[in-house]
Amino acid sequence: MQNLSSWVARNRWVWSLIGVLILWGILSLLTDRVSLHSLSGVATSASFLVLAALGQMFVVTTGRGNIDLSIASVIALSAFVGLIVVGGSDGRIGLGLLAVLGIGLAVGLTNAVLVVLFRIPAMIATLATGYVLATTTLIANRSIAGAVASPALAFVAGGKVGGVPVMFLIALAAVALSSLVLGRLAYGRTLSATGQNARAARLAGVRTGRVTATAFVISSTLAALDGALLSAYVGGAFLEMGAPYLLQSVGAVVLGGSLIFGGSSTAVGTLFGCILLVLIVTTMQIAGLPPGTQDIVQGVVIIGVLALAGRPVLRRIARAGPAGARAAGAQ
C-alpha cells in the first residue's frame, strides 16, 4: 500500500486519467450519443487545447505564480495572420508558418524581457502584452475578408489517418517531446530547479533568467502554432477565438497534476487534463447548460483542484516554521 501511495505521489497524472475514465463511463451510460466514434471529436478538440496547455505548463513550472495570460491573444492574432499570409494556397504554407512562428517568438521574447529584466510580475506583464495584441488583431480583422484556409492545413487540422485525427497525433508528438525535455534534457532539470527554488538554483549555477525566458518563448510559440491550426480547422478567424483557451490551459495543467507553485510538471498529465476538461464541457453541453454556467462549472472545478493542491504545501510550510516560509518565498 505504501508503494502504491508513493507511486501515485510521483505520478499525479493518474488522477486526471481516472477522472477521464469515470466521466466517459458516466456519459456512456447516460446517453447513446457517446461512442468510440464520438471519441474522435473529443480527441480533436482536446488536441488544440493540448498545444496551448503544454506551453502554459512550461511557464507554470518556472514557479513564483507565473502564468501566461497572453496566450488567448496570441492564438487569435496568429489565426488571422495565418489566414491572411497563406491566402488559401498550399504553396504559401511555409511563409504563413514563418509569419505565425515569428509572432510567437516576438511575443515570447517581449514577455521574457518584461518578466526577467524589468521584474514585472508575469500575470501583469502578459496581460498587458495581451491587450496590445488584441488591438493588433482588430487591425488584422479588417484585412481578413475573403481569406480561406489552405487544403493541406485544413487536412492537418481536421483530417484523419486510419480513423485517428491528425491533430491528435500532433498533440501526442508534442506531449512526447515535452516529456523528453522535462525528464531527460538538462533544460528540464534546470527548469524544475528554478521553479522549486530560484535562489538556490542561481547559487548552483543555473541561469534562471534564461530558463524562465525560454519558457515564455515556448508558450507563445506553441500558442501561435495552435492559432494557425485552429483557423484552418474552423475555416476562418474571429476576435474571441483564443478566449476559451486562457482559463482552460491553466486548468488542464493543474488538473493534470502539475504543481501551480512550480517546480514539478507532467506533460502526460496535461494531456489527460485537457481531455478531462473537454469531457466536462461536452457533458454540460449534452445537459443543455448555457455557456455562462459552463464557465462557472469549469472555474469551480479548477478552484477546487487548486485548493486541494495547495493544502499539502501549506502544511509543509507550517511544519517548517519561519524557515519554511522564507524558502517558499524564495521560489
Side-chain angles (χ1 to χ4, degrees), residues 3 18 42 76 88-89 101 109 129 133 144 150-151 164 177 193 215 234 242-243 261 263 327:
N3 292 335
I18 292 174
V42 172
S89 172
L101 294 178
L109 289 175
T129 303
L133 294 178
I144 196 68
S150 73
V164 180
L177 181 59
V234 301
F261 299 100

Side-chain angles (χ1 to χ4, degrees), residues 54-257:
L54 286 175
Q56 190 74 264
M57 178 193 70
F58 279 97
V59 172
V60 169
T61 309
T62 61
R64 302 180 64 184
N66 288 347
I67 294 176
D68 187 356
L69 297 181
S70 66
I71 279 181
S73 297
V74 172
I75 290 176
L77 178 59
S78 299
F80 279 96
V81 171
L83 285 175
I84 293 171
V85 175
V86 174
S89 172
D90 288 344
R92 295 172 60 88
I93 289 179
L95 183 60
L97 290 179
L98 283 177
V100 165
L101 294 178
I103 291 174
L105 179 61
V107 174
L109 289 175
T110 300
N111 288 335
V113 168
L114 294 176
V115 173
V116 177
L117 294 184
F118 291 97
R119 299 186 181 278
I120 300 175
M123 286 190 290
I124 296 177
T126 56
L127 181 63
T129 303
Y131 283 143
V132 174
L133 294 178
T135 302
T136 307
T137 305
L138 286 173
I139 298 175
N141 185 40
R142 301 173 183 174
S143 306
I144 196 68
V148 295
S150 73
L153 275 181
F155 173 76
V156 171
K160 297 180 181 180
V161 175
V164 180
V166 177
M167 267 305 302
F168 189 62
L169 296 177
I170 293 175
L172 290 180
V175 169
L177 181 59
S178 298
S179 296
L180 176 64
V181 171
L182 292 174
R184 300 291 182 179
L185 300 188
Y187 175 74
R189 293 191 290 271
T190 56
L191 179 67
S192 297
T194 299
Q196 290 168 10
N197 193 313
R199 183 179 180 183
R202 283 194 297 270
L203 293 176
V206 176
R207 296 182 177 180
T208 57
R210 179 176 297 181
V211 170
T212 301
T214 302
F216 279 100
V217 171
I218 291 174
S219 177
S220 293
T221 302
L222 285 176
L225 179 61
D226 198 26
L229 292 172
L230 189 60
S231 65
Y233 179 70
V234 301
F238 50 93
L239 296 177
E240 297 299 322
M241 176 173 280
Y245 293 91
L246 179 56
L247 175 64
Q248 290 183 349
S249 65
V250 179
V253 172
V254 176
L255 291 175

